[in-house]
Amino acid sequence: MNKRRDVSGYGDYVLVSALAFVGVMTCLPALAIEGDTFTPYASYGIYYDANLLRQSDAVRQSGAQLSDRWTRAGVGIRMDKEISRQKLTADASVYRADYDHFNQYSNTGKDAVANWKWALGNQFTGNVGVNYAQALTPFEDYRSLERSMQTQTKTYVDGSWRFHPSWQLNTAYSHYDLGYDLASQKPSERTLDITDVGVDYLARSGNKVGVVLRHIEGDYQYADINSYSQNEVKAKVDWQITGKTLIQFLGGYAKREYAVNPQRDSGVPSARLTAYWKATNKTAISLGAWRELGATDNLAANYARNQGVSLASTWDATSRISVDGLVMTEKRSYNGVSVIAGLDPLNRSDDYRNALLGVTYKPTSHWRIRAAVFRTTLDSNIPSASYSTDGAHISTRYEF
């Protein structure tokens, strides 16, 4: 089993590096170019959730305190700089969240992203970057009165070589690291190393079709029984049907293999189709449908097959007010395979639904106010896993 380093210090290093990157670039007047943007900002929000702990209806009916209100205040800085054909972007922020009732969940979170979009001549382009986030573990993943903080770090590099006017070779590599501060969450920690190789045909119309080969190495340091290798072959299509309609498709076959327990091996078709429609100059609609191999840390299941559809829309009511909405439903079917002696297979099936409606108001070009309401339900054949909740928030952000 591969030994993995402690990620907590590495995450802080990534955040400090991203902040330093923004700071150094800000302080280089010799490189300053007209149009550069270095923008500090501040944000504040008030949030409410009727079932914060994602407990079943039976628990809710018992009269137990499950709702809560919290505030979140943050500061950050973003950068957008172009140097010749190179483009550098970054955004780093820190925030404080304080809960009224479940004050043990109060926490300080951090976010940082940085990307270098590079170009070499007319044939070579790509990206190098890092994403980092330290935040409270979602209650959907960890229902406990004990606070759990998770740290996610993704580093990536990709490149494309247009070796012919109609053909392009693509390659990419990314490393994903998920860590937790609680010992009880250590079995869910993982690293993913993802390698892609593919080729695209570029039509004169601007449309694109291609093939992608992907290899994933998933390593669970504290639960090697979940470590796996996965190979995928998929076709992809980006097709502009009309000036207002775009369709994107990525689909094929995925095969997952477990070194410790081969009986958990699985192979399933997977695909995702997304359609974008600019209905009017002020209205846009997107429709998504998917059938994919989902992740699961459950030792009584070797995978979750997720099938779902979503519909999202935005409407620019005025030059200062926009309205957005989302409805989504997904069925999650867990393939039951017992991997521990004495543990019965778990053929779990969940129906997840989510709906959101939001309004954004921009009093000025620097100031944004947003309000939103949501409704979320999970119906499972495991009664204790089912829950329903609704909530709302109002937040504001000012860019200096």
Side-chain angles (χ1 to χ4, degrees), residues 14 16 33 51 90 125 137 150 162 214 216 223 275 319 321 391:
V14 171
V16 171
I33 299 175
N51 185 8
T125 58
T137 301
Q150 66 176 21
R162 190 163 183 172
R214 169 172 288 186
I216 304 174
S319 60
I321 299 175

Side-chain angles (χ1 to χ4, degrees), residues 103 233 290 305:
N103 50 40
V233 55
W290 60 91
R305 185 193 297 112

Side-chain angles (χ1 to χ4, degrees), residues 76-387:
I77 185 171
R78 64 179 177 86
M79 182 200 72
D80 191 331
K81 172 183 274 293
E82 292 189 16
I83 303 175
S84 186
R85 297 182 61 196
Q86 318 302 309
K87 185 171 184 178
L88 304 169
T89 57
D91 193 321
S93 63
V94 60
Y95 63 84
R96 177 66 186 177
D98 289 303
Y99 288 75
D100 285 354
H101 181 75
F102 297 103
N103 50 40
Q104 70 268 32
Y105 296 137
S106 298
N107 68 91
T108 300
K110 310 168 189 174
D111 293 287
V113 297
N115 186 79
W116 169 27
K117 185 177 181 180
W118 59 270
L120 182 61
N122 296 321
Q123 295 178 306
F124 299 93
T125 58
N127 296 274
V128 179
V130 59
N131 297 341
Y132 168 81
Q134 184 183 73
L136 194 68
T137 301
F139 293 101
E140 290 83 351
D141 299 333
Y142 186 68
R143 304 180 188 181
S144 172
L145 291 175
E146 187 177 18
R147 190 186 76 174
S148 170
M149 296 291 290
Q150 66 176 21
T151 301
Q152 301 181 76
T153 307
K154 179 182 179 181
T155 53
Y156 60 89
V157 57
D158 63 67
S160 298
W161 173 30
R162 190 163 183 172
F163 60 90
H164 184 276
S166 299
W167 293 93
Q168 179 173 279
L169 183 65
N170 308 304
T171 184
Y173 169 77
S174 64
H175 177 81
Y176 171 77
D177 206 324
L178 173 64
Y180 295 92
D181 65 342
L182 287 182
S184 60
Q185 290 289 89
K186 294 298 182 182
S188 294
E189 291 192 346
R190 75 202 72 161
T191 62
L192 301 179
D193 291 284
I194 305 173
T195 305
D196 290 347
V197 177
V199 62
D200 293 334
Y201 172 73
L202 311 174
R204 292 183 178 180
S205 61
N207 295 322
K208 181 191 303 183
V209 295
V211 176
V212 180
L213 303 178
R214 169 172 288 186
H215 177 73
I216 304 174
E217 287 292 335
D219 176 41
Y220 290 72
Q221 180 186 8
Y222 299 101
D224 201 40
I225 196 171
N226 277 330
S227 297
Y228 65 88
S229 295
Q230 183 166 315
N231 292 296
E232 304 176 7
V233 55
K234 293 183 177 180
K236 68 175 185 178
V237 178
D238 289 349
W239 203 266
Q240 191 80 42
I241 298 178
T242 70
K244 295 185 176 182
T245 306
L246 170 67
I247 288 183
Q248 294 181 325
F249 172 81
L250 180 65
Y253 189 80
K255 172 70 173 179
R256 181 175 295 186
E257 297 176 313
Y258 294 83
V260 176
N261 291 88
Q263 75 259 34
R264 302 181 74 194
D265 293 355
S266 59
V268 296
S270 61
R272 179 176 287 267
L273 176 66
T274 307
Y276 303 92
W277 178 38
K278 185 72 172 177
T280 69
N281 291 333
K282 294 186 175 182
T283 306
I285 298 172
S286 65
L287 174 66
W290 60 91
R291 183 181 190 272
E292 298 175 331
L293 185 68
T296 177
D297 300 330
N298 195 314
L299 298 183
N302 63 343
Y303 68 85
R305 185 193 297 112
N306 300 333
Q307 303 178 78
V309 295
S310 67
L311 177 65
S313 179
T314 59
W315 171 46
D316 295 328
T318 71
S319 60
R320 298 183 182 273
I321 299 175
S322 61
V323 181
D324 61 276
L326 168 70
V327 290
M328 187 266 275
T329 180
E330 181 178 70
K331 186 173 184 62
R332 304 165 180 172
S333 300
Y334 296 80
N335 175 273
V337 176
S338 181
V339 297
I340 300 178
L343 181 63
D344 293 330
L346 177 62
N347 291 299
R348 176 175 166 176
S349 179
D350 296 344
D351 288 310
Y352 175 84
R353 291 179 291 275
N354 184 50
L356 178 145
L357 179 64
V359 178
T360 301
Y361 172 53
K362 298 178 180 178
T364 71
S365 59
H366 295 272
W367 187 17
R368 182 184 68 189
I369 302 172
R370 176 170 171 78
V373 295
F374 72 88
R375 171 73 177 176
T376 302
T377 62
L378 179 72
D379 294 322
S380 176
N381 61 349
I382 308 299
S384 60
S386 299
Y387 71 85

